[in-house]
Amino acid sequence: MRALSTTELLSVWERGASQPPVHRALTLLAAACPESPPDSLADLSIGRRDERLIALRELTFGAEFTGLANCPACDEKIELSFHASDLRLGKELEPPAEFDLQLAEHRLRFRLPTSADLLTVNSREQLLERCLSNGHGNLPETVLATVIETMSRADPLADIQLALRCASCGHQWEAPFDIVAFFWSEISAAARGLLREVHTLASAYGWAESEILALSPARRRYYLELVNA
Ligand SMILES: [Zn+2]
């Protein structure tokens, strides 16, 4: 895996703009991991996929994350900042390909949900049906709850919760962190910024888009300063 180049970032943004989030996640990973067959990326568990997306985000935009949240108690806006390692902390597990669980009289074999699963199912029932090798049939709800619990313990990055604290009122809560949505909004902002720069430089110098994008960021910035001086 390597950082997205300027042109890759733009083409990922172009391709992903009309895609739902599960597709977007795969579009991003496919651009960063050209050596991995697309099917193998779709077969990663959601946590392993998100682990790679966090790594790609770190390579592309750095390891610091910032964002905003609203305190649910006093509605104060709070600024979040965290490091990529806060998200991963102790969660780099290598989950087994298949789980074998005996629960009372139920012998369960299952695997973790993947992007390929999410692309085909519409409900939790269908997802479990695909992941349990004998289907979920008439399994009692308590058994299914244990299966889901086992899945999320084995693949913790599939559901990242940020521990937040409001500086104004002291309220503490947990909020889900969605790396796909977070990274995508950054990609989208960066792509628009790049196109604005292309527009400014093309208007000033008559250069082609490909020529402008081939400039190093430092050169592009310097020409922009001259144009805006
Ligand atoms: Zn508060």
Side-chain angles (χ1 to χ4, degrees):
M1 180 182 297
R2 48 183 173 69
L4 295 177
S5 70
T6 305
T7 32
E8 284 167 345
L9 189 147
L10 280 173
S11 71
V12 160
W13 170 70
E14 210 172 4
R15 233 171 316 139
S18 57
Q19 293 178 332
V22 182
H23 277 106
R24 265 179 197 168
L26 295 175
T27 298
L28 278 162
L29 283 185
C33 312
E35 71 287 354
S36 306
D39 281 353
S40 74
L41 296 172
D43 286 338
L44 289 171
S45 73
I46 301 305
R48 301 310 302 277
R49 178 200 75 182
D50 286 2
E51 183 184 7
R52 291 194 182 202
L53 286 173
I54 292 167
L56 177 60
R57 194 285 186 179
E58 191 174 349
L59 288 169
T60 307
F61 295 132
E64 299 299 328
F65 290 71
T66 55
L68 292 171
N70 273 351
C71 171
C74 73
D75 208 33
E76 189 72 25
K77 232 185 193 62
I78 65 163
E79 215 170 276
L80 319 172
S81 79
F82 46 95
H83 194 270
S85 59
D86 297 333
L87 298 173
R88 283 193 294 256
L89 204 63
K91 292 176 181 167
E92 284 133 327
L93 302 175
E94 185 67 57
E98 197 170 47
F99 296 78
D100 208 330
L101 207 63
Q102 183 78 39
L103 280 178
E105 74 273 29
H106 305 286
R107 179 72 185 272
L108 304 160
R109 297 175 74 82
F110 56 92
R111 56 174 180 76
L112 294 173
T114 65
S115 303
D117 294 322
L118 295 184
L119 288 172
T120 24
V121 305
N122 295 310
S123 65
R124 190 194 77 149
E125 276 60 40
Q126 290 177 4
L127 186 62
L128 287 169
E129 190 68 43
R130 275 178 69 95
C131 293
L132 281 151
S133 39
N134 299 318
H136 71 64
N138 296 319
L139 292 173
E141 187 54 39
T142 50
V143 171
L144 294 178
T146 307
V147 169
I148 292 169
E149 169 71 26
T150 309
M151 286 175 168
S152 56
R153 254 205 322 271
D155 204 25
L157 288 175
D159 179 24
I160 299 175
Q161 298 288 328
L162 294 175
L164 304 181
R165 185 181 178 283
C166 173
S168 296
C169 74
H171 182 67
Q172 298 186 20
W173 75 103
E174 286 203 332
F177 175 74
D178 179 350
I179 181 64
V180 181
F182 187 94
F183 195 14
W184 187 258
S185 69
E186 290 183 322
I187 299 239
S188 185
R192 285 162 204 273
L194 275 168
L195 294 182
R196 253 195 315 276
E197 293 180 9
V198 169
H199 168 75
T200 307
L201 293 178
S203 308
Y205 297 107
W207 295 335
E209 186 195 54
S210 56
E211 293 171 329
I212 296 170
L213 293 176
L215 293 172
S216 71
R219 277 196 193 199
R220 221 170 32 239
R221 217 167 25 245
Y222 188 65
Y223 283 121
L224 283 166
E225 276 173 25
L226 292 175
V227 170
N228 296 324

